Each structure stands twice: as C-alpha cells, then as structure tokens.
Amino acid sequence: VIGMVTLQYAGVFALVALGWLPWPALLTLAALPQALRMVRVYAAPRPAHCPAGYPSDAWPLWYVSFAFVYARTFGLALLTGLMIGWLLQ
C-alpha cells in the first residue's frame, strides 16, 4: 500500500516537473492526511469486531472503505488542480 501511494505522488510530481501537468495539480498533496490514515489502517491488524461508530453494514469491507475515501479525496484534489490549471491558461 505504501508503495502504491508513493507512486501516485511521485507520478504527479514527475508529470508536473516534465510540464505535462500544470503546477496546480500539486493540490493532490491535500489528500496526504487521508493517505497516511489509510496506510496506518492497512498496517494494523483488522479488528476482530465492528468498532463503535463504524457502520455495521460496511464492516466486512473494513479496508476497502478507507481506500475509497482516500481515492475520492486524491481524485477530487487532482481534478480540482487540473481545472485550476486549465483556468489559468
């Protein structure tokens, strides 16, 4: 998981450095807190029972829900950065 997240950010940095993406695409760094949260969840063992406050219907998909939240945050940040870059042209 850490390698995949690292490759995402390295890819964005490389594409910005090459000029293939506009510099506002670096807004993806806003998703870094969610990435760190997801990595911590994946590094820890899965809880034996549904934690308090966690939806019981989503319990079987413990890891997937954290990945979806991160992917949504990263994707929205990237899209926003691309739109800002387009508007600045």
Side-chain angles (χ1 to χ4, degrees):
V1 172
I2 293 173
M4 291 173 43
V5 171
T6 304
L7 282 175
Q8 279 184 307
Y9 288 103
V12 170
F13 278 114
L15 292 174
V16 169
L18 290 171
W20 293 357
L21 287 180
W23 66 265
L26 295 176
L27 189 60
T28 55
L29 290 174
L32 201 54
Q34 285 294 335
L36 296 175
R37 182 177 181 209
M38 181 187 68
V39 167
R40 275 189 304 241
V41 167
Y42 272 71
R46 182 176 186 246
H49 303 287
C50 182
Y54 193 83
S56 60
D57 57 340
W59 167 240
L61 302 174
W62 171 253
Y63 293 114
V64 175
S65 62
F66 290 96
F68 277 135
V69 170
Y70 167 67
R72 181 181 59 203
T73 306
F74 182 88
L76 182 61
L78 179 61
L79 182 61
T80 303
L82 293 175
M83 290 173 60
I84 291 171
W86 176 69
L87 290 172
L88 291 177
Q89 280 187 342

